Amino acid sequence: MKPLCQIDKAMTLAAPRVRKKARPAKVVQKTAARKKTVRKRAAAKPPAPREPAPRAATLLAWYARHRRHLPWRARPSEPADPYRVWLSEIMLQQTTVKAVGPYFERFLARWPRLQDLASAPLEDVLKLWAGLGYYARARNLHVCARAIVERHGGAFPDTEDTLRTLPGIGAYTAAAIAAIAFGRKATPVDGNIERVIARLHAIETPLPAAKPLIHAHAQALTPARHAGDFAQAMMDLGASLCSPKRPACALCPWNDACAAHRRGDAETFPRKTPKANGALRRGAAYVAVRADGAILARVRPPAGLLGGMMEVPTTDWTHDFDERDALAHAPFKAAWQRVPGVVRHVFTHFPLELTVYRARAAAGARPPKDARWLPQHKIANEAFPNVMRKVIAHGISD
DNA sequence: GATCCGTGGAC
DNA sequence: TGTCCAAGGAT
């Protein structure tokens, strides 16, 4: 493999630009026997050379110039803060950098140190997390903070294996923290890195089956030193030049090493097996408004969908919801009125359609069991997920 | 391995 | 408008 690299490099430099319509797939899979033939023909028509092996140093040099400046990122040559790295990594799971920014700042301002977060009530953590989605992350964040204080004396574990034992920290996050915060040689592989590697090697195996292969390639590329910078460089590359839809291969520091680029169809990688979308679920939600404007609200069950978050009373959300049964599930007897229109919301695995009913309650009305009257001005700072904010807005509209 | 978990933005 | 996607983890 290594010796070929020298040959290929030489060929790349010597050969004229390869035609786009070449058949690189077959070139890659040439047998030793066929190579002879090709070499003979090479005099007349140079074969498509294989890509030179990608070099970590090449990417690190690019990173030094083009790295993003992010709130949780230490400046070059400054030590990383494990607390910040951890907090950001949890928030960034399946979430865009742009969305995380303000949440990260608010969390850090409210709980500057791990110990502060660990001693905070879960309720407060969920309030600050509201709107960011995937609320199990917030619950695990809280449990994790307490575990580090109790099991590790408040100091973050500095090895991948030990980090992996903490709630909310999986293979990716453990490797990311080990590499970025502690300089360990670890290889986190996120969606960005999967894409970069899949293109680099033109991997035809679709995700998620290709994960082990992709991880092996990423691991082979990881340098012994600066593994944290290397991981972040891979992610920055994937977030900027090596983007999902229209990769800017011309600007990529690794374009000479990229098999997919040579094929000319980098944007088609990684291959993916399509996942089925959930069927529509429907239900009714009840916005009860007391004379002083307070809204009837309750806390959802601690686990599962929107676990531990606030909601207004609703029916179950089912595929066969019957509108005619809606009033039978209202939280109390009243002159419920159906608010025209519906509230639509799309979760990861199913779309939801809620019809909203509204009723007024007397000033002294007692809340039903497990529910309470919430002053309207407090709604903004309570742990309502967005779907519930939509429902309330719809319910109190005219 | 397949499902369950939110949300907002880009195209 | 529909689809895809974003620094994944838990079960």
Side-chain angles (χ1 to χ4, degrees):
Chain A
M1 187 169 172
K2 298 301 181 193
L4 274 182
C5 164
Q6 297 299 331
I7 296 171
D8 290 341
K9 192 171 185 180
M11 292 172 78
T12 303
L13 293 174
R17 195 164 294 279
V18 180
R19 295 176 309 147
K20 278 188 177 177
K21 296 298 181 182
R23 295 176 187 175
K26 289 185 178 175
V27 172
V28 169
Q29 289 159 10
K30 275 195 306 268
T31 62
R34 271 186 57 92
K35 272 184 189 169
K36 268 190 176 178
T37 313
V38 170
R39 281 197 182 122
K40 282 184 182 173
R41 290 168 50 197
K45 190 193 329 179
R50 285 187 56 179
E51 302 76 25
R55 297 275 168 225
T58 306
L59 183 64
L60 287 170
W62 172 86
Y63 182 65
R65 281 188 64 84
H66 301 285
R67 56 180 295 175
R68 290 177 290 178
H69 300 282
L70 304 171
W72 45 85
R73 221 173 235 184
R75 295 184 176 187
S77 80
E78 278 186 3
D81 176 359
Y83 176 55
R84 288 179 173 235
V85 172
W86 165 70
L87 180 59
S88 66
E89 287 300 340
I90 301 298
M91 286 185 165
L92 285 162
Q93 288 167 6
Q94 295 292 287
T95 308
T96 57
V97 166
K98 184 184 176 185
V100 165
Y103 283 86
F104 179 81
E105 301 286 10
R106 284 196 288 269
F107 266 68
L108 209 63
R110 178 79 169 273
W111 300 298
R113 301 170 305 130
L114 175 75
Q115 287 75 8
D116 304 321
L117 179 58
S119 57
L122 172 61
E123 186 186 349
D124 290 353
V125 176
L126 291 178
K127 282 181 185 175
L128 248 66
W129 196 280
L132 198 54
Y134 284 133
Y135 300 100
R137 290 184 299 169
R139 302 194 297 271
N140 284 330
L141 184 82
H142 191 240
V143 178
C144 184
R146 297 192 164 185
I148 294 172
V149 167
E150 290 167 13
R151 307 211 298 255
H152 303 281
F156 269 87
D158 63 354
T159 67
E160 216 174 330
D161 285 347
T162 309
L163 285 163
R164 185 69 183 77
T165 67
L166 293 166
I169 298 183
Y172 162 79
T173 306
I177 296 174
I180 297 170
F182 297 110
R184 299 273 186 183
K185 181 180 184 302
T187 307
V189 179
D190 73 329
N192 286 310
I193 298 177
E194 280 179 349
R195 185 169 58 254
V196 171
I197 297 291
R199 288 174 178 172
L200 214 44
H201 299 278
I203 293 174
E204 292 291 351
T205 310
L207 287 171
K211 280 175 181 286
L213 176 60
I214 289 176
H215 188 273
H217 279 299
Q219 209 162 34
L221 267 174
T222 304
R225 291 150 54 88
H226 308 297
D229 280 344
F230 179 73
Q232 294 178 93
M234 292 277 276
M235 292 188 267
D236 278 19
L237 184 67
S240 56
L241 304 184
C242 199
S243 57
K245 299 292 176 59
R246 297 185 57 179
C249 299
L251 302 177
C252 181
W254 270 349
N255 57 11
D256 64 334
C258 183
H261 174 238
R262 186 173 297 286
R263 294 164 43 122
D265 60 350
E267 72 278 3
T268 68
F269 292 90
R271 309 289 193 233
K272 291 192 177 183
T273 53
K275 42 191 158 190
N277 253 342
L280 173 69
R281 300 186 201 179
R282 299 168 57 249
Y286 307 92
V287 178
V289 186
R290 204 169 60 176
D292 62 354
I295 300 280
L296 190 66
R298 65 188 185 189
V299 179
R300 292 177 59 86
L305 182 66
L306 305 174
M309 301 295 286
M310 299 284 292
E311 68 172 2
V312 299
T314 81
T315 62
D316 286 341
W317 305 340
T318 61
H319 305 299
D320 59 351
F321 173 72
D322 190 332
E323 181 81 43
R324 292 168 296 185
D325 300 337
L327 289 185
H329 296 89
F332 56 83
K333 290 189 189 301
W336 292 98
Q337 287 195 309
R338 188 188 186 292
V339 180
V342 294
V343 169
R344 291 192 175 82
H345 192 80
V346 180
F347 292 101
T348 310
H349 51 301
F350 69 91
L352 175 66
E353 207 173 273
L354 291 174
T355 56
V356 178
Y357 288 80
R358 169 174 51 189
R360 303 213 171 270
R366 311 299 299 180
K369 189 175 185 299
D370 299 331
R372 61 189 171 97
W373 293 104
L374 188 67
Q376 226 173 90
H377 68 88
K378 286 192 174 179
I379 292 175
N381 294 320
E382 288 286 338
F384 285 103
N386 279 7
V387 62
M388 284 301 148
R389 295 182 189 276
K390 285 189 202 174
V391 167
I392 293 169
H394 189 66
I396 65 180
S397 67
D398 293 320

